[in-house]
Amino acid sequence: MLGNFSYHNPTKLYFGKDALEYLGDELQHYGKTVQLIYGGGSIKKNGIYQEIMEILLACGKEVVEDGGVMPNPTSERVELGAKRARENKVDLLLAVGGGSVCDYAKAVAVSAYCEEDFWEKYYIRFEDPTCKILPVGCVLTMAGTGSEMNGGSVITNRKQKLKIGHVFGSDVMPKFSILNPEFTYTLPERQMVSGIYDIFNHICEQYFSGEDDNVTDYLCEGLMKSVISASYRAKKNPRDYEARSNIMWAATWALNTLLDKGKTTDWEVHMLGQAVGAYTDATHGMTLAAVSLPYYRYILRYGLQKFKRFAIEVWNVKEKGSDEEIAERGLSAMENWMKDLGLTLNISDLGATPDMIEGIADATRIQKGGYHVLTRPEIVEILKASL
Ligand code: NZQ
Ligand code: ZN
């Protein structure tokens, strides 16, 4: 294990088929006015909206509606939500949906009383909040991002063509999150598999760094195997509760501040994917899937021993041949799994065109924690290989 760290995660989770029963208890801790944040309407179709509204009204809450938050939430939308929260003197932000509404709720939480331009302060200068922060609670309907138990908030600035994540501290993390795997049953298959790949890649981003013997790497291998196994079952039968519950729980643990302890971590796939997302507004997990194989094949030579371990431990590749051959067979096995799930494996299918490559490269932040620090020409090369 490397490094010095402290560990604290303040989010209280309620997990399982009965999880929503605990919303009422949690609501007692906050004032009267609740800003109910949700997306484009899936929760109205599957009945979750009505269930939550009944609980809110039974608890005597005044509800400020904030629906229609788009996937990949924008800075303009955050401004609107922050104004709504301030003008209505909201006491709690309750996000019901996937990573987009949870991330948006956190951005509103730190912006409602921010006296500066929130985008510049948090997403360009990466400063910590200095104003009053509103509490956030989540009811999750899509598994993938881990936003339900972390401080991450990814916002897209359409004018600047940038999609940037700020990882806020404990005071911005959800106070509570409600995780009922059954709520994910109505997800379209494309969203489900996109979320599954997002989980898998969060684990990879933390796994592919460092050469020390680290407890995180063993945790990562177990989580990855569980995600692969559950993904096949959920794809075959989306109402397989065991599979859906494993996917939801793995998503939370893949990015809830545990795995990165003692690790430098990579996150370059996310930087490439977010830049593609800024140009195409494509589904997050798909942007990661589309750039992953060219990126990993490129950096394999720099982290050879870890890629070999990945092949053997996660993909059951036999230890025959050179280290390079074993490592490459691991990535081939990963590619086959990605194809089986039906993930998008190139950025052209997500709407990226060759004339966008330079701009996407400009929007890609370079991370320093992985096996190789990319140069700009290398980023361009990887993006071209992803077309
Ligand atoms: O908007 P509605 O109508 O609700 O439909 C949503 C949306 O279109 C739909 N959906 C969600 N639950 C559903 C459902 N449809 C039917 N039944 C359900 N139960 O799914 C679509 C996608 O939802 P979204 O919230 O956008 O997906 P996801 O959870 O993947 O979140 C993506 C956002 O999170 C960011 C991404 O960049 C992206 O902006 N991320 C956040 C992270 C974090 N906070 O730590 C880390 C991640 O790496 C990621 O960057
Ligand atoms: Zn992600």
Side-chain angles (χ1 to χ4, degrees):
M1 287 283 286
L2 293 174
N4 305 295
F5 54 82
S6 66
Y7 182 73
H8 168 67
N9 191 314
T11 304
K12 182 166 187 182
L13 295 180
Y14 297 93
F15 191 93
K17 293 183 186 183
D18 299 335
L20 194 59
E21 285 177 15
Y22 298 91
L23 177 60
D25 296 347
E26 284 299 326
L27 290 174
Q28 312 299 331
H29 303 309
Y30 305 94
K32 208 172 165 50
T33 312
V34 177
Q35 185 159 331
L36 181 62
I37 296 170
Y38 54 96
S42 69
I43 63 163
K44 288 199 171 158
K45 284 192 211 120
N46 59 23
I48 296 171
Y49 173 87
Q50 285 78 356
E51 270 189 74
I52 288 176
M53 206 47 134
E54 273 168 29
I55 297 170
L56 286 165
L57 297 179
C59 292
K61 300 295 179 185
E62 269 168 28
V63 178
V64 175
E65 290 260 352
D66 192 6
V69 174
M70 67 289 276
N72 307 322
T74 64
S75 50
E76 285 96 336
R77 192 64 176 72
V78 172
E79 263 166 42
L80 204 79
K83 187 165 175 270
R84 197 167 282 169
R86 195 172 50 246
E87 287 178 357
N88 290 288
K89 299 192 175 61
V90 160
D91 299 302
L92 173 71
L93 301 167
L94 184 63
V96 185
S100 292
V101 296
C102 298
D103 283 17
Y104 166 87
K106 292 176 211 169
V108 169
V110 295
S111 303
Y113 295 97
C114 177
E115 288 180 355
E116 301 160 67
D117 177 329
F118 86 91
W119 173 259
E120 289 291 323
K121 182 177 172 70
Y122 303 127
Y123 294 89
I124 299 293
R125 299 199 303 272
F126 286 96
E127 288 173 14
D128 289 329
T130 41
C131 60
K132 171 180 166 181
I133 301 169
L134 288 172
V136 171
C138 301
V139 178
L140 203 64
T141 66
M142 147 120 198
T145 65
S147 189
E148 65 275 12
M149 203 182 187
N150 70 36
S153 170
V154 183
I155 300 297
T156 298
N157 186 314
R158 284 192 181 153
K159 275 193 212 119
Q160 296 180 11
K161 283 204 181 307
L162 289 173
K163 183 177 186 189
I164 297 179
H166 184 132
V167 182
F168 291 99
S170 305
D171 42 3
V172 184
M173 287 162 72
K175 303 291 176 221
F176 64 90
S177 284
I178 290 171
L179 279 64
N180 179 347
E182 288 183 333
F183 287 178
T184 67
Y185 283 172
T186 54
L187 268 174
E189 184 179 284
R190 189 176 157 76
Q191 291 296 339
M192 178 186 81
V193 297
S194 169
I196 288 170
Y197 189 71
D198 193 21
I199 304 168
F200 192 83
N201 191 255
H202 291 160
I203 307 169
C204 290
E205 299 275 30
Q206 298 166 95
Y207 182 73
F208 288 120
S209 71
E211 273 148 24
D212 56 319
D213 187 34
N214 194 310
V215 69
T216 285
D217 294 332
Y218 299 89
L219 292 172
C220 286
E221 286 158 0
L223 281 171
M224 287 194 264
K225 286 195 253 190
S226 163
V227 170
I228 296 162
S229 159
S231 70
Y232 279 116
R233 286 178 55 182
K235 170 122 175 153
K236 199 164 157 213
N237 174 16
R239 298 181 88 84
D240 180 331
Y241 182 80
E242 195 169 74
R244 297 309 284 261
S245 60
N246 280 326
I247 291 167
M248 196 172 225
W249 194 225
T252 303
W253 283 94
L255 196 53
N256 74 348
T257 72
L258 172 76
L259 297 182
D260 64 2
K261 295 294 159 286
K263 298 282 295 183
T264 53
T265 71
D266 185 354
W267 294 106
E268 198 57 52
V269 169
H270 269 68
M271 296 304 108
L272 289 158
Q274 281 174 204
V276 170
Y279 274 73
T280 61
D281 199 26
T283 301
H284 172 66
M286 293 301 185
T287 65
L288 306 177
V291 299
S292 282
L293 289 161
Y295 174 71
Y296 287 132
R297 290 201 162 111
Y298 187 81
I299 64 156
L300 182 138
R301 72 198 88 161
Y302 301 102
L304 189 56
Q305 289 313 312
K306 192 53 136 323
F307 281 96
K308 181 182 167 189
R309 174 172 165 173
F310 176 65
I312 295 166
E313 298 298 333
V314 180
W315 299 103
N316 299 318
V317 169
K318 298 265 176 306
E319 267 191 89
K320 255 180 25 200
S322 67
D323 288 355
E324 286 83 0
E325 282 163 359
I326 296 169
E328 178 50 47
R329 286 209 297 278
L331 289 182
S332 296
M334 180 170 110
E335 181 171 6
N336 289 338
W337 169 65
M338 293 168 82
K339 285 182 181 157
D340 289 345
L341 288 190
L343 294 164
T344 305
L345 295 183
N346 64 74
I347 60 175
S348 306
D349 287 350
L350 300 176
T353 48
D355 59 299
M356 290 180 186
I357 295 294
E358 292 297 327
I360 297 174
D362 286 341
T364 303
R365 293 176 51 222
I366 296 172
Q367 300 297 105
K368 299 211 168 94
Y371 288 120
H372 177 65
V373 181
L374 294 181
T375 61
R376 194 178 180 288
E378 288 172 324
I379 290 177
V380 170
E381 198 181 315
I382 290 163
L383 288 170
K384 282 186 178 160
S386 308
L387 272 169

